Amino acid sequence: MLMAYEESLKILHSHIKPYEKVEKVAITQCLGCILAEDLRALEDYPKFPISAMDGYAVKFGEQNKALKVLGVTPAGKMPEFKVESGTCVKTFTGSLMSEGSDTLVPVENVEFKEGQIYIKEAVKEGFAVRKIGESYKKDELLLAKGTKLDYSEIALLAELGFFHISVFIRPVVGVLSSGSEIKDLGESLENPAQIRSSNHIALANLARKLGCEVRVFPLLKDEEKTTFSTLKNALKSCDILITTGGVSMGDFDFLKKAVREYELIIDKVDIKPGRHIKIAKFEEKFILALPGFPYSAMVMFNLYAREILNAWLLQKKDYVAQAFLEQDYIKKSPYLEFVACNVELKEGRVCVNLKGKKEGSSAIINNLNNKAALMIAPKECEKLESGALVDIIFMP
């Protein structure tokens, strides 16, 4: 009996333990890394009121009189003057506001004559002044553990004064494609029964897009005597080992036997494509034995390997959404189906359609081209009507 998809996810998550591999990385090298610690503000920022424009630091209530200019406060210099009644200080963008001032009048709003300014256009109280703690307050959580570091987050780290930061070590994903019929890049096809391998290319790039380091192993032939040792050796150098092919019902499907040498936690799931998937555990490592058809292998990676990586790296499952179906869809099987679809935004609505998607086996790679997503067709229904609200999963 095939396992239900939701049940398979529950079982998978019950075997995932916290990922504790952490390293220090310079912030100049941490783009795309996942933060491994919470970061809070050590102090208010800014610590003092700061000018946000070029102008004159004044007392708000004295904009209706001539004000004597006491001097200048350049950016990066401590103020030398105290603003009292009838005075002001010329102040530049990024400069600290002088003691006694609370408002910045822009240079274009004043007329300067003989050491004094006359304000032609008054401004509201506190104008162009960055208040203490405007950016963040002391002890405020700025970046949570699990944050993926992009350009803005790294700029914040620089502002905070960090040079090295603790991040999760990129999980290592190994890819081992099998089949005597497949040829590697650069190899010639010797007869029409042979094909060029694409699984190891697709899965390696999917893993890289999810922030992993990748090991691509030599293609594995359908030879029982080498399958067991090859699997064992490949597992030594990765956190997740992805295999493709050799898990169905064929006489030469030896990988399914080799995987059973480990703790098999999932064995076939009630889904299309990929129902022959097998997932095994060895210590803290996972083996995902995926079908050999490329479309099937890519979908299964997204459904299962991505779950493991998200749990390890504390990532939200924010790639699941809903959309309106623009055409009827008749299911092709009695299983829960994951169907390649196009996603478009039309008049403020997220819509999906199957234009250009070919019907056939799970070998059609190009069905996932052009940023295709996966539409979920529930097991219990036979047809999805045009206009129906459907669940979709965005690929990495």
Side-chain angles (χ1 to χ4, degrees), residues 165-206:
I165 199 73
S166 293
V167 300
F168 288 114
I169 295 174
R170 294 178 186 272
V172 179
V173 173
V175 181
L176 176 63
S177 291
S178 73
S180 294
E181 77 281 12
I182 58 176
K183 290 289 188 176
D184 208 343
L185 301 179
E187 293 184 333
S188 300
L189 301 184
E190 298 165 0
N191 60 65
Q194 296 179 335
I195 59 173
R196 296 183 180 89
S197 176
S198 59
N199 280 336
H200 63 309
I201 301 300
L203 299 179
N205 284 323
L206 276 170

mmCIF file of all heavy atoms in Angstrom, residues 165-206:
data_model
loop_
_atom_site.group_PDB
_atom_site.id
_atom_site.type_symbol
_atom_site.label_atom_id
_atom_site.label_comp_id
_atom_site.label_asym_id
_atom_site.label_seq_id
_atom_site.Cartn_x
_atom_site.Cartn_y
_atom_site.Cartn_z
ATOM 1 N N ILE A 165 31.030 36.703 10.870
ATOM 2 C CA ILE A 165 29.694 36.381 11.341
ATOM 3 C C ILE A 165 29.508 34.868 11.335
ATOM 4 O O ILE A 165 30.092 34.159 10.504
ATOM 5 C CB ILE A 165 28.635 37.081 10.453
ATOM 6 C CG1 ILE A 165 27.296 37.152 11.173
ATOM 7 C CG2 ILE A 165 28.511 36.438 9.099
ATOM 8 C CD1 ILE A 165 27.288 38.177 12.288
ATOM 9 N N SER A 166 28.702 34.347 12.261
ATOM 10 C CA SER A 166 28.445 32.907 12.333
ATOM 11 C C SER A 166 27.307 32.526 11.381
ATOM 12 O O SER A 166 26.199 33.065 11.490
ATOM 13 C CB SER A 166 28.073 32.508 13.763
ATOM 14 O OG SER A 166 29.167 32.662 14.636
ATOM 15 N N VAL A 167 27.596 31.623 10.480
ATOM 16 C CA VAL A 167 26.595 31.153 9.518
ATOM 17 C C VAL A 167 26.608 29.623 9.494
ATOM 18 O O VAL A 167 27.567 28.988 9.914
ATOM 19 C CB VAL A 167 26.868 31.693 8.099
ATOM 20 C CG1 VAL A 167 26.829 33.218 8.083
ATOM 21 C CG2 VAL A 167 28.206 31.191 7.563
ATOM 22 N N PHE A 168 25.518 29.064 9.000
ATOM 23 C CA PHE A 168 25.484 27.624 8.825
ATOM 24 C C PHE A 168 26.415 27.225 7.678
ATOM 25 O O PHE A 168 26.420 27.861 6.622
ATOM 26 C CB PHE A 168 24.066 27.144 8.505
ATOM 27 C CG PHE A 168 23.126 27.195 9.673
ATOM 28 C CD1 PHE A 168 22.046 28.068 9.675
ATOM 29 C CD2 PHE A 168 23.315 26.375 10.772
ATOM 30 C CE1 PHE A 168 21.176 28.122 10.750
ATOM 31 C CE2 PHE A 168 22.456 26.419 11.859
ATOM 32 C CZ PHE A 168 21.387 27.295 11.848
ATOM 33 N N ILE A 169 27.190 26.180 7.911
ATOM 34 C CA ILE A 169 27.989 25.613 6.823
ATOM 35 C C ILE A 169 27.032 25.095 5.754
ATOM 36 O O ILE A 169 26.026 24.457 6.064
ATOM 37 C CB ILE A 169 28.884 24.479 7.344
ATOM 38 C CG1 ILE A 169 29.919 25.036 8.341
ATOM 39 C CG2 ILE A 169 29.582 23.753 6.200
ATOM 40 C CD1 ILE A 169 30.752 23.964 9.008
ATOM 41 N N ARG A 170 27.331 25.390 4.523
ATOM 42 C CA ARG A 170 26.440 24.942 3.446
ATOM 43 C C ARG A 170 26.341 23.419 3.460
ATOM 44 O O ARG A 170 27.374 22.728 3.377
ATOM 45 C CB ARG A 170 26.966 25.403 2.083
ATOM 46 C CG ARG A 170 26.957 26.923 1.904
ATOM 47 C CD ARG A 170 27.528 27.317 0.554
ATOM 48 N NE ARG A 170 27.666 28.754 0.409
ATOM 49 C CZ ARG A 170 26.712 29.575 -0.048
ATOM 50 N NH1 ARG A 170 25.550 29.055 -0.401
ATOM 51 N NH2 ARG A 170 26.918 30.876 -0.142
ATOM 52 N N PRO A 171 25.114 22.868 3.556
ATOM 53 C CA PRO A 171 24.983 21.411 3.503
ATOM 54 C C PRO A 171 25.534 20.875 2.182
ATOM 55 O O PRO A 171 25.435 21.521 1.139
ATOM 56 C CB PRO A 171 23.464 21.190 3.579
ATOM 57 C CG PRO A 171 22.934 22.427 4.231
ATOM 58 C CD PRO A 171 23.818 23.542 3.747
ATOM 59 N N VAL A 172 26.132 19.706 2.256
ATOM 60 C CA VAL A 172 26.697 19.082 1.059
ATOM 61 C C VAL A 172 25.688 18.089 0.498
ATOM 62 O O VAL A 172 25.258 17.156 1.187
ATOM 63 C CB VAL A 172 28.020 18.362 1.374
ATOM 64 C CG1 VAL A 172 28.573 17.705 0.106
ATOM 65 C CG2 VAL A 172 29.033 19.348 1.942
ATOM 66 N N VAL A 173 25.305 18.312 -0.734
ATOM 67 C CA VAL A 173 24.383 17.419 -1.432
ATOM 68 C C VAL A 173 25.170 16.650 -2.487
ATOM 69 O O VAL A 173 25.820 17.251 -3.347
ATOM 70 C CB VAL A 173 23.229 18.191 -2.094
ATOM 71 C CG1 VAL A 173 22.377 17.273 -2.967
ATOM 72 C CG2 VAL A 173 22.365 18.863 -1.036
ATOM 73 N N GLY A 174 25.129 15.328 -2.396
ATOM 74 C CA GLY A 174 25.772 14.480 -3.390
ATOM 75 C C GLY A 174 24.757 14.006 -4.411
ATOM 76 O O GLY A 174 23.601 13.729 -4.066
ATOM 77 N N VAL A 175 25.155 13.933 -5.660
ATOM 78 C CA VAL A 175 24.264 13.491 -6.732
ATOM 79 C C VAL A 175 24.891 12.288 -7.433
ATOM 80 O O VAL A 175 26.018 12.377 -7.943
ATOM 81 C CB VAL A 175 24.002 14.613 -7.755
ATOM 82 C CG1 VAL A 175 23.044 14.137 -8.843
ATOM 83 C CG2 VAL A 175 23.441 15.854 -7.059
ATOM 84 N N LEU A 176 24.149 11.193 -7.441
ATOM 85 C CA LEU A 176 24.626 9.945 -8.032
ATOM 86 C C LEU A 176 23.557 9.407 -8.971
ATOM 87 O O LEU A 176 22.549 8.852 -8.539
ATOM 88 C CB LEU A 176 24.930 8.921 -6.932
ATOM 89 C CG LEU A 176 25.356 7.516 -7.367
ATOM 90 C CD1 LEU A 176 26.674 7.569 -8.143
ATOM 91 C CD2 LEU A 176 25.482 6.606 -6.159
ATOM 92 N N SER A 177 23.756 9.605 -10.260
ATOM 93 C CA SER A 177 22.797 9.113 -11.251
ATOM 94 C C SER A 177 23.211 7.736 -11.737
ATOM 95 O O SER A 177 24.400 7.468 -11.930
ATOM 96 C CB SER A 177 22.707 10.077 -12.436
ATOM 97 O OG SER A 177 22.088 11.287 -12.046
ATOM 98 N N SER A 178 22.223 6.873 -11.938
ATOM 99 C CA SER A 178 22.534 5.496 -12.338
ATOM 100 C C SER A 178 21.787 5.098 -13.607
ATOM 101 O O SER A 178 20.763 5.677 -13.957
ATOM 102 C CB SER A 178 22.170 4.528 -11.201
ATOM 103 O OG SER A 178 20.766 4.396 -11.093
ATOM 104 N N GLY A 179 22.321 4.085 -14.270
ATOM 105 C CA GLY A 179 21.697 3.542 -15.478
ATOM 106 C C GLY A 179 22.734 3.245 -16.539
ATOM 107 O O GLY A 179 23.521 4.120 -16.901
ATOM 108 N N SER A 180 22.741 2.022 -17.017
ATOM 109 C CA SER A 180 23.707 1.646 -18.056
ATOM 110 C C SER A 180 23.411 2.327 -19.379
ATOM 111 O O SER A 180 24.273 2.375 -20.265
ATOM 112 C CB SER A 180 23.705 0.120 -18.235
ATOM 113 O OG SER A 180 24.195 -0.517 -17.069
ATOM 114 N N GLU A 181 22.209 2.860 -19.517
ATOM 115 C CA GLU A 181 21.824 3.499 -20.774
ATOM 116 C C GLU A 181 22.245 4.962 -20.854
ATOM 117 O O GLU A 181 22.162 5.577 -21.925
ATOM 118 C CB GLU A 181 20.310 3.395 -20.973
ATOM 119 C CG GLU A 181 19.461 4.360 -20.165
ATOM 120 C CD GLU A 181 19.258 3.933 -18.705
ATOM 121 O OE1 GLU A 181 19.948 2.998 -18.238
ATOM 122 O OE2 GLU A 181 18.419 4.551 -18.026
ATOM 123 N N ILE A 182 22.709 5.557 -19.748
ATOM 124 C CA ILE A 182 23.004 6.980 -19.765
ATOM 125 C C ILE A 182 24.494 7.238 -19.996
ATOM 126 O O ILE A 182 25.361 6.492 -19.546
ATOM 127 C CB ILE A 182 22.548 7.673 -18.465
ATOM 128 C CG1 ILE A 182 23.191 7.046 -17.230
ATOM 129 C CG2 ILE A 182 21.033 7.651 -18.352
ATOM 130 C CD1 ILE A 182 22.838 7.756 -15.929
ATOM 131 N N LYS A 183 24.747 8.322 -20.717
ATOM 132 C CA LYS A 183 26.105 8.748 -21.019
ATOM 133 C C LYS A 183 26.347 10.125 -20.405
ATOM 134 O O LYS A 183 25.451 10.959 -20.332
ATOM 135 C CB LYS A 183 26.317 8.816 -22.537
ATOM 136 C CG LYS A 183 26.345 7.461 -23.225
ATOM 137 C CD LYS A 183 27.625 6.705 -22.878
ATOM 138 C CE LYS A 183 27.773 5.437 -23.714
ATOM 139 N NZ LYS A 183 29.045 4.760 -23.453
ATOM 140 N N ASP A 184 27.590 10.369 -19.991
ATOM 141 C CA ASP A 184 27.920 11.628 -19.338
ATOM 142 C C ASP A 184 28.224 12.706 -20.374
ATOM 143 O O ASP A 184 28.315 12.436 -21.581
ATOM 144 C CB ASP A 184 29.126 11.423 -18.410
ATOM 145 C CG ASP A 184 29.118 12.404 -17.243
ATOM 146 O OD1 ASP A 184 28.401 13.423 -17.329
ATOM 147 O OD2 ASP A 184 29.818 12.140 -16.254
ATOM 148 N N LEU A 185 28.415 13.918 -19.898
ATOM 149 C CA LEU A 185 28.743 15.033 -20.781
ATOM 150 C C LEU A 185 30.010 14.716 -21.570
ATOM 151 O O LEU A 185 31.003 14.247 -21.010
ATOM 152 C CB LEU A 185 28.967 16.307 -19.958
ATOM 153 C CG LEU A 185 27.789 16.783 -19.093
ATOM 154 C CD1 LEU A 185 28.186 18.031 -18.328
ATOM 155 C CD2 LEU A 185 26.562 17.043 -19.938
ATOM 156 N N GLY A 186 29.962 14.975 -22.861
ATOM 157 C CA GLY A 186 31.131 14.759 -23.703
ATOM 158 C C GLY A 186 31.259 13.356 -24.255
ATOM 159 O O GLY A 186 32.067 13.118 -25.161
ATOM 160 N N GLU A 187 30.496 12.410 -23.731
ATOM 161 C CA GLU A 187 30.562 11.038 -24.233
ATOM 162 C C GLU A 187 29.629 10.876 -25.431
ATOM 163 O O GLU A 187 28.540 11.458 -25.480
ATOM 164 C CB GLU A 187 30.166 10.040 -23.135
ATOM 165 C CG GLU A 187 31.154 9.968 -21.983
ATOM 166 C CD GLU A 187 30.788 8.899 -20.965
ATOM 167 O OE1 GLU A 187 29.592 8.567 -20.845
ATOM 168 O OE2 GLU A 187 31.711 8.396 -20.303
ATOM 169 N N SER A 188 30.057 10.064 -26.372
ATOM 170 C CA SER A 188 29.251 9.823 -27.571
ATOM 171 C C SER A 188 28.213 8.742 -27.307
ATOM 172 O O SER A 188 28.447 7.808 -26.538
ATOM 173 C CB SER A 188 30.147 9.394 -28.737
ATOM 174 O OG SER A 188 31.092 10.399 -29.032
ATOM 175 N N LEU A 189 27.066 8.898 -27.946
ATOM 176 C CA LEU A 189 26.051 7.845 -27.891
ATOM 177 C C LEU A 189 26.439 6.770 -28.889
ATOM 178 O O LEU A 189 26.678 7.046 -30.063
ATOM 179 C CB LEU A 189 24.670 8.413 -28.226
ATOM 180 C CG LEU A 189 24.150 9.543 -27.330
ATOM 181 C CD1 LEU A 189 22.736 9.945 -27.727
ATOM 182 C CD2 LEU A 189 24.187 9.137 -25.865
ATOM 183 N N GLU A 190 26.500 5.543 -28.415
ATOM 184 C CA GLU A 190 26.953 4.437 -29.264
ATOM 185 C C GLU A 190 25.822 3.794 -30.051
ATOM 186 O O GLU A 190 26.061 3.134 -31.059
ATOM 187 C CB GLU A 190 27.647 3.390 -28.388
ATOM 188 C CG GLU A 190 28.893 3.945 -27.688
ATOM 189 C CD GLU A 190 29.368 3.044 -26.568
ATOM 190 O OE1 GLU A 190 28.722 1.993 -26.341
ATOM 191 O OE2 GLU A 190 30.366 3.386 -25.913
ATOM 192 N N ASN A 191 24.594 3.969 -29.578
ATOM 193 C CA ASN A 191 23.436 3.420 -30.291
ATOM 194 C C ASN A 191 22.186 4.173 -29.847
ATOM 195 O O ASN A 191 22.201 4.888 -28.838
ATOM 196 C CB ASN A 191 23.299 1.912 -30.024
ATOM 197 C CG ASN A 191 23.123 1.604 -28.552
ATOM 198 O OD1 ASN A 191 22.128 1.987 -27.952
ATOM 199 N ND2 ASN A 191 24.115 0.916 -27.952
ATOM 200 N N PRO A 192 21.074 4.029 -30.551
ATOM 201 C CA PRO A 192 19.851 4.774 -30.239
ATOM 202 C C PRO A 192 19.235 4.422 -28.896
ATOM 203 O O PRO A 192 18.364 5.152 -28.405
ATOM 204 C CB PRO A 192 18.903 4.381 -31.387
ATOM 205 C CG PRO A 192 19.800 3.960 -32.499
ATOM 206 C CD PRO A 192 20.969 3.290 -31.828
ATOM 207 N N ALA A 193 19.672 3.353 -28.267
ATOM 208 C CA ALA A 193 19.120 2.958 -26.970
ATOM 209 C C ALA A 193 19.740 3.745 -25.817
ATOM 210 O O ALA A 193 19.265 3.669 -24.690
ATOM 211 C CB ALA A 193 19.327 1.462 -26.746
ATOM 212 N N GLN A 194 20.801 4.484 -26.107
ATOM 213 C CA GLN A 194 21.477 5.248 -25.065
ATOM 214 C C GLN A 194 20.995 6.708 -25.062
ATOM 215 O O GLN A 194 20.550 7.229 -26.085
ATOM 216 C CB GLN A 194 22.989 5.207 -25.274
ATOM 217 C CG GLN A 194 23.565 3.802 -25.149
ATOM 218 C CD GLN A 194 25.060 3.762 -25.391
ATOM 219 O OE1 GLN A 194 25.620 4.631 -26.074
ATOM 220 N NE2 GLN A 194 25.720 2.749 -24.848
ATOM 221 N N ILE A 195 21.094 7.355 -23.901
ATOM 222 C CA ILE A 195 20.674 8.752 -23.765
ATOM 223 C C ILE A 195 21.726 9.519 -22.966
ATOM 224 O O ILE A 195 22.527 8.920 -22.248
ATOM 225 C CB ILE A 195 19.305 8.877 -23.048
ATOM 226 C CG1 ILE A 195 19.376 8.247 -21.654
ATOM 227 C CG2 ILE A 195 18.197 8.248 -23.875
ATOM 228 C CD1 ILE A 195 18.124 8.465 -20.825
ATOM 229 N N ARG A 196 21.719 10.832 -23.105
ATOM 230 C CA ARG A 196 22.625 11.678 -22.332
ATOM 231 C C ARG A 196 22.012 11.970 -20.957
ATOM 232 O O ARG A 196 20.845 12.321 -20.851
ATOM 233 C CB ARG A 196 22.912 12.977 -23.079
ATOM 234 C CG ARG A 196 23.655 12.764 -24.393
ATOM 235 C CD ARG A 196 23.974 14.085 -25.067
ATOM 236 N NE ARG A 196 24.689 13.864 -26.319
ATOM 237 C CZ ARG A 196 24.101 13.687 -27.491
ATOM 238 N NH1 ARG A 196 22.761 13.711 -27.568
ATOM 239 N NH2 ARG A 196 24.807 13.485 -28.586
ATOM 240 N N SER A 197 22.806 11.822 -19.939
ATOM 241 C CA SER A 197 22.325 12.071 -18.580
ATOM 242 C C SER A 197 22.083 13.562 -18.371
ATOM 243 O O SER A 197 22.913 14.399 -18.728
ATOM 244 C CB SER A 197 23.335 11.564 -17.554
ATOM 245 O OG SER A 197 22.904 11.887 -16.244
ATOM 246 N N SER A 198 20.945 13.894 -17.788
ATOM 247 C CA SER A 198 20.627 15.288 -17.431
ATOM 248 C C SER A 198 20.289 15.424 -15.949
ATOM 249 O O SER A 198 20.333 16.522 -15.398
ATOM 250 C CB SER A 198 19.453 15.802 -18.268
ATOM 251 O OG SER A 198 18.306 14.985 -18.063
ATOM 252 N N ASN A 199 19.958 14.326 -15.307
ATOM 253 C CA ASN A 199 19.561 14.380 -13.900
ATOM 254 C C ASN A 199 20.643 14.989 -13.009
ATOM 255 O O ASN A 199 20.361 15.823 -12.143
ATOM 256 C CB ASN A 199 19.219 12.978 -13.383
ATOM 257 C CG ASN A 199 17.823 12.547 -13.780
ATOM 258 O OD1 ASN A 199 16.962 13.367 -14.036
ATOM 259 N ND2 ASN A 199 17.609 11.241 -13.857
ATOM 260 N N HIS A 200 21.883 14.546 -13.215
ATOM 261 C CA HIS A 200 22.940 15.037 -12.327
ATOM 262 C C HIS A 200 23.179 16.532 -12.513
ATOM 263 O O HIS A 200 23.549 17.230 -11.570
ATOM 264 C CB HIS A 200 24.239 14.236 -12.510
ATOM 265 C CG HIS A 200 24.879 14.330 -13.855
ATOM 266 N ND1 HIS A 200 24.200 14.120 -15.031
ATOM 267 C CD2 HIS A 200 26.164 14.605 -14.209
ATOM 268 C CE1 HIS A 200 25.026 14.267 -16.053
ATOM 269 N NE2 HIS A 200 26.231 14.566 -15.580
ATOM 270 N N ILE A 201 22.914 17.046 -13.716
ATOM 271 C CA ILE A 201 23.048 18.477 -13.982
ATOM 272 C C ILE A 201 21.908 19.244 -13.313
ATOM 273 O O ILE A 201 22.120 20.240 -12.609
ATOM 274 C CB ILE A 201 23.060 18.753 -15.493
ATOM 275 C CG1 ILE A 201 24.207 18.003 -16.172
ATOM 276 C CG2 ILE A 201 23.144 20.256 -15.760
ATOM 277 C CD1 ILE A 201 25.578 18.370 -15.651
ATOM 278 N N ALA A 202 20.675 18.755 -13.504
ATOM 279 C CA ALA A 202 19.501 19.433 -12.952
ATOM 280 C C ALA A 202 19.539 19.466 -11.430
ATOM 281 O O ALA A 202 19.333 20.523 -10.808
ATOM 282 C CB ALA A 202 18.226 18.734 -13.433
ATOM 283 N N LEU A 203 19.799 18.320 -10.820
ATOM 284 C CA LEU A 203 19.753 18.241 -9.362
ATOM 285 C C LEU A 203 20.892 19.017 -8.710
ATOM 286 O O LEU A 203 20.718 19.624 -7.649
ATOM 287 C CB LEU A 203 19.769 16.782 -8.920
ATOM 288 C CG LEU A 203 18.579 15.944 -9.416
ATOM 289 C CD1 LEU A 203 18.700 14.509 -8.941
ATOM 290 C CD2 LEU A 203 17.259 16.547 -8.964
ATOM 291 N N ALA A 204 22.050 19.016 -9.340
ATOM 292 C CA ALA A 204 23.172 19.789 -8.812
ATOM 293 C C ALA A 204 22.822 21.278 -8.801
ATOM 294 O O ALA A 204 23.101 21.985 -7.822
ATOM 295 C CB ALA A 204 24.423 19.546 -9.641
ATOM 296 N N ASN A 205 22.199 21.753 -9.865
ATOM 297 C CA ASN A 205 21.852 23.177 -9.930
ATOM 298 C C ASN A 205 20.705 23.527 -8.988
ATOM 299 O O ASN A 205 20.682 24.624 -8.415
ATOM 300 C CB ASN A 205 21.507 23.567 -11.365
ATOM 301 C CG ASN A 205 22.755 23.702 -12.230
ATOM 302 O OD1 ASN A 205 23.789 24.162 -11.763
ATOM 303 N ND2 ASN A 205 22.681 23.298 -13.475
ATOM 304 N N LEU A 206 19.758 22.618 -8.808
ATOM 305 C CA LEU A 206 18.699 22.855 -7.825
ATOM 306 C C LEU A 206 19.300 22.986 -6.425
ATOM 307 O O LEU A 206 18.923 23.862 -5.646
ATOM 308 C CB LEU A 206 17.691 21.706 -7.851
ATOM 309 C CG LEU A 206 16.590 21.776 -8.908
ATOM 310 C CD1 LEU A 206 15.814 20.465 -8.964
ATOM 311 C CD2 LEU A 206 15.639 22.933 -8.628
#
